[in-house]
Amino acid sequence: MKWTAKFLLVLVLSSQAFASELPPLEAYGSLPGVDLVTLSPSGERLAMRRTEGDIDIVMVIDLTTGQRTSAVDVSSTNPRSLKFVSDDMLLLIAGQTTRMFGIRGAFDYSAAFAMNTNTSETRQLLTRADDLFSAQSGLGRIVGASADGKTVYMPAFEGPSQVSSPRYSLFEVRTDRRRERLKRKGNAHTIDWFVDVDGEPIIREDFDNQDDKHIIWRIDGKERTRLYEYESDIKLMNPVGLLPDRSALLYTAIVDNTVQFFTLSLADGTIGGPLLSRDDKDIDRVLMDSNRIVLGVQYTGFTPSYAFFDDSLNQRIASITEQLADTSVRLHSWSDDFSKLVVQVTGGWNSGAYVLFTDGEQQPSIIALERPEVANEAVVPTEITSYEAKDGLTIPALVSARSDVREAGDAPLVVIPHGGPESYDALEFHWMTQYFASRGYVVLQPQFRGSEGFGWDFRAAGRGEWGGKMQTDLDDGVAHLVESGLVDADRVCIVGASYGGYAAIAAAAFTKGIYRCAASINGVFDLRTMIVDERRDYGRDHWVIAYWEKLYGADSLDRAALDAISPAKHADKIDIPVLLIHGKDDTVVPVRQSRRMQRALRSAKADYDYVELDGEDHWLSYPTSRLETLKAVGEFIDSHL
């Protein structure tokens, strides 16, 4: 273990350019300079996305020579993931907001591209197949690949363009030439496919929203057998992958108030498990290969933890996380034989780095730093803490503050509730948190009830508490920090995105005397119209609608109940300055939500500012608008605190 200290020294010294001065706003608001790092099957090649200014490329490096073998400009593509199917072929899964004739509004469209890693030749997949449905939200899903990487299997809607309910079928697509054909037809209720080692379909998943039936079919050539069926208005089990021998389907389900892993035998439908379950944590992410063979899981928590079916892999990851204590170590990629692993190290004492660990080598290699402009000594420490809500529930939280700010006390506070709301904040370099903390603010990230990662009971406690206890949990966090002497009760603002944006403006509408200003990014403000939009997009009987009904706590969609917790209906109660920011191409929370809130504020003659981001989506995926957002929020907070 002697290499650890040396490695940490290298990592510290590699990010010292701006250690003696405060990093500029651009160092926080810009997208990370490198991401989507992935290894080829042999481990001899590595792909990544690099961004700097107007440069946005996906590049492939030969690790044996250190030379770049290929690169493509992706500035107009917005790749969201990279995956090798062979050393010579890299898949780019991209997404963008688009509009299509005959479809109301914008929607998030995905596409898959195959990139030859020797020649840089790149082409979009699944564009020439017969009978592709003309209007669908994406052609980017890949559920399997051949051993040589020359064929991938992609589900997509197919059928005549005039039908209202197209079939979700499986296509066979060549990556090395323009050959695409229908492999197997699904139906209007089909939502997923699983394939065997030869690419033949072996599992089809259906969800009938009209009859509320979830069915798992085993496919045997032209025949099919019903393996599992139940009735519910929402999905209670979530198939995720296959055992390595493809003898069983692995799925997650909530049992005894925790997310657990089970097997469904392909032979007879027998249920086994639970597997890899823990009493104190839920399963956050399932780790699979390109053929959806499950290797293990990542658990929820402020810092990631793991469990694999392979004990030797368990030992390797445990050793790595132990040596990088007080950080979040995220496993990103691996070679087929696991001799090489790429991990992302973030949070704690650094602003993010990708590191390559090679079996048999004492010292790992730093692939790239995510934010070299933010020196390690400029990273503001984040403390894991908790406080008690008014009803006695313990609320986990993250508090970030410079050491000099902690010593002085009585500091201004920025509260940043997360989105979701069934999500959570991890111990990582959070760009907005770190920006405000670096400027001398204390930043509170409360994990209010309803957040995942802290057990099912805690998560379920948020159901029906929009505008209720989920909201007062934030206020109780402010009170806790005020009582501790760390922050000044008269200098508190709140800012959030998505659900966090709702919580920020709900605080302005429903809470008095705590916050001096509130800012929202892509927030929800009129819950009734949000449900109407979801019904239009998914259909009245879709399980998504049932989920949101339970989340809002208004199963019958009672108008009065939804209006009572909608800030847009209570703009006349807002007496503090408000900032609204929204991406025009947001397909998760439509921009009309913020436009509706703006109209309500204008009618109420409230003090507000409004910013729309051209071409931006829900996640602030583009560097220009992310910088614009941070600049607007920073100036807004500074002017009021």
Side-chain angles (χ1 to χ4, degrees):
M1 300 303 178
K2 292 182 179 179
W3 59 263
T4 304
K6 183 179 180 181
F7 166 59
L8 295 183
L9 180 61
V10 170
L11 187 54
V12 168
L13 292 178
S14 63
S15 180
Q16 293 297 315
F18 295 88
S20 60
E21 59 186 56
L22 196 64
L25 178 144
E26 289 76 13
Y28 301 91
S30 298
L31 294 173
V34 60
D35 64 350
L36 307 182
V37 178
T38 185
L39 282 168
S40 69
S42 70
E44 294 181 357
R45 289 188 173 181
L46 182 140
M48 69 177 74
R49 181 187 186 184
R50 295 207 68 122
T51 57
E52 183 178 352
D54 295 332
I55 298 173
D56 190 353
I57 63 171
V58 166
M59 57 189 294
V60 178
I61 298 170
D62 187 324
L63 292 177
T64 61
T65 65
Q67 300 298 310
R68 188 171 73 181
T69 67
S70 55
V72 294
D73 184 343
V74 295
S75 55
S76 61
T77 307
N78 192 27
R80 294 179 178 172
S81 67
L82 303 177
K83 181 65 181 178
F84 282 97
V85 287
S86 72
D87 277 28
D88 300 321
M89 193 65 66
L90 177 71
L91 301 182
L92 291 71
I93 310 302
Q96 63 182 11
T97 303
T98 189
R99 287 175 170 81
M100 187 176 294
F101 179 76
I103 298 180
R104 179 182 174 185
F107 61 93
D108 192 58
Y109 180 83
S110 67
F113 298 82
M115 172 184 171
N116 186 303
T117 63
N118 300 307
T119 66
S120 300
E121 179 184 359
T122 304
R123 69 178 184 86
Q124 186 175 346
L125 302 177
L126 199 54
T127 60
R128 301 166 59 89
D130 294 335
D131 297 326
L132 275 174
F133 190 62
S134 59
Q136 51 188 313
S137 60
L139 297 168
R141 285 200 67 207
I142 295 175
V143 298
S146 62
D148 60 6
K150 294 181 178 180
T151 305
V152 293
Y153 306 95
M154 304 176 65
F157 290 108
E158 57 90 16
S161 59
Q162 64 269 23
V163 302
S164 59
S165 300
R167 297 179 292 263
Y168 195 58
S169 301
L170 186 66
F171 289 82
E172 182 180 276
V173 180
R174 294 283 294 193
T175 60
D176 59 343
R177 61 180 185 268
R178 297 184 180 278
R179 178 185 168 189
E180 304 168 353
R181 69 181 184 89
L182 179 64
K183 182 77 172 177
R184 184 68 177 253
K185 287 186 177 182
N187 62 35
H189 305 305
T190 301
I191 59 176
D192 205 356
W193 294 88
F194 294 82
V195 300
D196 67 13
V197 68
D198 297 316
E200 295 299 324
I202 54 175
I203 289 289
R204 194 184 86 194
E205 180 186 6
D206 292 356
F207 194 94
D208 187 332
N209 289 291
Q210 293 180 333
D211 294 336
D212 294 334
K213 287 185 178 180
H214 190 190
I215 306 173
I216 306 296
W217 301 94
R218 186 185 71 221
I219 307 296
D220 302 289
K222 295 183 179 181
E223 304 297 324
R224 66 181 184 184
T225 303
R226 194 185 310 255
L227 280 180
Y228 191 76
E229 178 181 349
Y230 65 89
E231 293 188 14
S232 175
D233 58 350
I234 62 175
K235 288 179 63 176
L236 300 177
M237 61 175 290
N238 181 37
V240 292
L242 299 163
L243 286 177
D245 61 2
R246 290 181 169 83
S247 64
L249 178 72
L250 286 158
Y251 68 91
T252 59
I254 296 172
V255 177
D256 296 331
N257 296 334
T258 60
V259 178
Q260 299 187 25
F261 224 9
F262 296 90
T263 60
L264 179 68
S265 169
L266 271 59
D268 56 13
T270 302
I271 293 176
L275 305 175
L276 306 180
S277 296
R278 292 179 54 169
D279 294 334
D280 59 333
K281 294 182 182 295
D282 291 337
I283 293 172
D284 192 11
R285 182 167 65 109
V286 180
L287 303 169
M288 298 180 288
D289 68 10
S290 57
N291 283 300
R292 304 177 82 179
I293 299 300
V294 176
L295 307 173
V297 297
Q298 176 184 311
Y299 296 110
T300 56
F302 284 128
T303 58
S305 54
Y306 301 89
F308 299 92
F309 292 119
D310 186 329
D311 285 339
S312 62
L313 194 53
N314 279 325
Q315 294 172 14
R316 287 189 65 196
I317 296 299
S319 175
I320 291 172
T321 55
E322 180 182 352
Q323 301 309 311
L324 297 170
D326 302 321
T327 67
S328 290
V329 178
R330 302 187 182 280
L331 178 61
H332 264 257
S333 185
W334 51 85
S335 59
D336 279 355
D337 63 1
F338 301 107
S339 62
K340 294 182 178 179
L341 305 175
V342 171
V343 301
Q344 179 195 28
V345 185
T346 182
W349 39 264
N350 77 100
S351 59
Y354 287 93
V355 183
L356 174 66
F357 287 82
T358 302
D359 197 18
E361 294 186 7
Q362 282 193 320
Q363 185 168 319
S365 304
I366 299 173
I367 297 169
L369 301 173
E370 291 186 86
R371 298 180 183 275
E373 301 90 347
V374 182
N376 291 320
E377 63 184 46
V379 176
V380 178
T382 298
E383 174 187 297
I384 298 174
T385 186
S386 64
Y387 57 88
E388 190 173 287
K390 287 186 178 65
D391 63 358
L393 185 65
T394 298
I395 307 298
L398 297 173
V399 176
S400 301
R402 294 189 327 222
S403 58
D404 61 318
V405 171
R406 289 184 182 274
E407 292 174 4
D410 211 27
L413 171 65
V414 178
V415 181
I416 305 182
H418 60 71
E422 293 189 342
S423 180
Y424 68 98
D425 293 306
L427 183 67
E428 60 186 7
F429 188 92
H430 185 278
W431 58 283
M432 187 171 286
T433 294
Q434 284 291 318
Y435 171 75
F436 282 114
S438 72
R439 267 57 186 174
Y441 294 98
V442 173
V443 179
L444 170 66
Q445 294 172 272
Q447 310 306 294
F448 47 84
R449 72 191 70 203
S451 303
E452 63 179 3
F454 308 99
W456 174 252
D457 288 344
F458 190 85
R459 182 177 173 182
R463 296 290 172 91
E465 292 296 342
W466 281 57
K469 292 179 180 178
M470 288 168 66
Q471 199 69 36
T472 59
D473 287 346
L474 312 181
D475 307 337
D476 294 338
V478 174
H480 170 72
L481 295 183
V482 169
E483 291 170 6
S484 72
L486 181 59
V487 304
D488 180 354
D490 294 326
R491 292 189 294 163
V492 181
C493 281
I494 181 170
V495 54
S498 193
Y499 170 81
Y502 163 85
I505 307 306
F510 306 130
T511 303
K512 298 300 177 185
I514 295 180
Y515 305 99
R516 290 186 60 175
C517 63
S520 165
I521 304 165
N522 298 339
V524 182
F525 308 114
D526 188 330
L527 275 61
R528 183 157 49 88
T529 61
M530 189 70 182
I531 283 287
V532 170
D533 290 341
E534 297 281 69
R535 276 183 164 175
R536 184 201 66 218
D537 294 341
Y538 290 100
R540 179 176 294 271
D541 296 321
H542 201 278
W543 66 267
V544 169
I545 305 304
Y547 169 79
W548 280 109
E549 289 175 358
K550 289 178 171 57
L551 203 63
Y552 287 148
D555 289 3
S556 62
L557 296 187
D558 176 79
R559 177 189 294 262
L562 291 176
D563 286 354
I565 57 175
S566 295
K569 301 297 183 181
H570 301 273
D572 58 331
K573 299 177 183 177
I574 296 177
D575 57 5
I576 61 174
V578 164
L579 171 64
L580 304 177
I581 300 175
H582 215 116
K584 284 187 178 179
D585 288 343
D586 188 341
T587 58
V588 178
V589 179
V591 67
R592 55 184 169 270
Q593 282 286 321
S594 283
R595 290 173 179 172
R596 186 179 296 269
M597 189 71 223
Q598 179 202 24
R599 290 194 298 270
L601 290 167
R602 185 173 58 220
S603 297
K605 295 182 171 53
D607 181 1
Y608 75 93
D609 292 302
Y610 182 67
V611 178
E612 279 193 7
L613 305 171
D614 289 333
E616 187 53 84
D617 58 22
H618 189 67
W619 303 278
L620 298 181
S621 298
Y622 299 94
T624 301
S625 51
R626 182 174 286 205
L627 279 171
E628 183 181 350
T629 297
L630 186 57
K631 186 174 186 294
V633 174
E635 291 177 350
F636 177 75
I637 297 293
D638 288 345
S639 67
H640 296 293
L641 291 186

